[in-house]
Amino acid sequence: MSIIYQCQLELHDSLYFATREIGRLYETEPIIHNYALCYALGLVDSEIHSTTVADEHSYRYFSQEQVPKYEEHLIPLNQQKIYITPARVLHHSAILNTWKYANNNYHVEMEKTQKNIPSFGRTKEIAPESQFEFFLIAEKPIKLPKWIRLGKWMSKAEVTVTELHNSHTTEGLFTCKYPLNPLDVMFTNQVISYDVVNMPPVSLIQNVKMRGLYYYFDDILGLKLPARMEYRFGS
């Protein structure tokens, strides 16, 4: 029987990652990808969670190659029956920051004068005290950290975890209002309709009408989550 945790995340710093670029505006969508959550929660390449990977794929804060290895890092979570859903926003506000820089040379040769035009841009970030919600599905009891860091600025966030009881499974037509990773559900469920949230590395879907096996709960009416979700990757 799966253990299902309801998790809330509250930002203590502003959160920034570039979901989309509109000219010089770099915007953060108020939704958090499940890949990012796996890394932030310390589930990847972990001895505690028995998800260690081969040395050539080891995950550290600094990676010389800077090449994502999602498949190598997340398949061990499948083997341990650990799955994290993307996080939806409960409430949030946004803040705009402007940045600029110029090319400062300490050694300049005598050349024709160039215009000194600084580069600039704006970031739309998610403000502190914004809250998100996601779910963890596991085969064994699992403990998540109280504090994590997210995004480009390694922003601090607080995690609160509640184990859900009185869960049941049934099969049929249902609607999941929560964001999902389409690759993780399309092979075990018939996806009928959805709204797309464009974001790298895999766009998410929400308000998904689908047919398949799902969880429902006595304590939280309206909460329905697809069963048999696991990390999958395109060829």
Side-chain angles (χ1 to χ4, degrees):
M1 185 67 180
S2 296
I3 304 172
I4 303 175
Y5 299 93
Q6 182 184 35
C7 309
Q8 288 195 1
L9 187 153
E10 181 174 352
L11 300 181
H12 285 239
D13 296 315
S14 62
L15 175 64
Y16 166 67
F17 51 88
T19 307
R20 64 174 64 89
E21 300 178 11
I22 308 172
R24 293 185 182 271
L25 173 65
Y26 300 85
E27 184 173 359
T28 304
E29 183 79 21
I31 192 170
I32 304 176
H33 207 288
N34 59 338
Y35 292 177
L37 286 171
C38 288
Y39 288 95
L41 292 165
L43 299 175
V44 173
D45 198 11
S46 166
E47 292 184 2
I48 296 174
H49 302 295
S50 301
T51 59
T52 53
V53 301
D55 289 343
E56 62 267 27
H57 303 310
S58 63
Y59 173 71
R60 298 292 181 268
Y61 179 77
F62 173 76
S63 175
Q64 185 173 357
E65 294 182 347
Q66 294 294 313
V67 177
K69 296 185 177 182
Y70 300 121
E71 184 170 359
E72 292 83 357
H73 289 165
L74 298 179
I75 289 299
L77 273 69
N78 289 343
Q79 296 166 351
Q80 296 302 318
K81 307 296 183 183
I82 299 172
Y83 186 82
I84 296 281
T85 69
R88 70 162 184 164
V89 69
L90 297 176
H91 67 82
H92 82 289
S93 56
I95 55 177
L96 285 172
N97 288 321
T98 300
W99 53 266
K100 61 182 178 180
Y101 65 89
N103 182 19
N104 294 320
N105 294 322
Y106 292 96
H107 173 74
V108 180
E109 295 182 0
M110 296 300 293
E111 297 179 351
K112 184 178 179 180
T113 303
Q114 303 287 329
K115 290 183 178 180
N116 183 15
I117 303 176
S119 296
F120 66 93
R122 306 184 77 189
T123 58
K124 183 178 180 182
E125 305 177 10
I126 308 300
E129 299 185 359
S130 299
Q131 292 186 331
F132 295 81
E133 180 184 43
F134 62 94
F135 296 90
L136 187 158
I137 303 171
E139 192 174 69
K140 302 175 183 178
I142 191 168
K143 183 176 178 61
L144 295 180
K146 177 70 173 177
W147 300 96
I148 63 172
R149 293 191 176 273
L150 287 165
K152 296 291 187 181
W153 309 147
M154 297 298 287
S155 307
K156 189 175 183 180
E158 182 179 6
V159 180
T160 304
V161 179
T162 303
E163 183 178 346
L164 297 180
H165 301 284
N166 301 318
S167 64
H168 311 279
T169 57
T170 189
E171 190 164 0
L173 185 68
F174 69 102
T175 299
C176 180
K177 300 178 181 179
Y178 295 81
L180 300 171
N181 187 322
L183 292 179
D184 301 344
V185 298
M186 63 187 296
F187 295 99
T188 53
N189 297 271
Q190 179 189 359
V191 177
I192 298 171
S193 63
Y194 51 84
D195 299 327
V196 177
V197 181
N198 290 310
M199 63 186 308
V202 178
S203 291
L204 304 178
I205 55 177
Q206 59 187 359
N207 299 319
V208 187
K209 185 177 181 181
M210 57 202 313
R211 185 184 302 276
L213 189 69
Y214 65 93
Y215 299 102
Y216 67 96
F217 305 84
D218 293 339
D219 300 335
I220 307 179
L221 297 178
L223 173 58
K224 297 176 181 179
L225 295 174
R228 299 180 296 194
M229 287 187 288
E230 64 177 17
Y231 301 101
R232 293 180 181 266
F233 305 91
S235 56

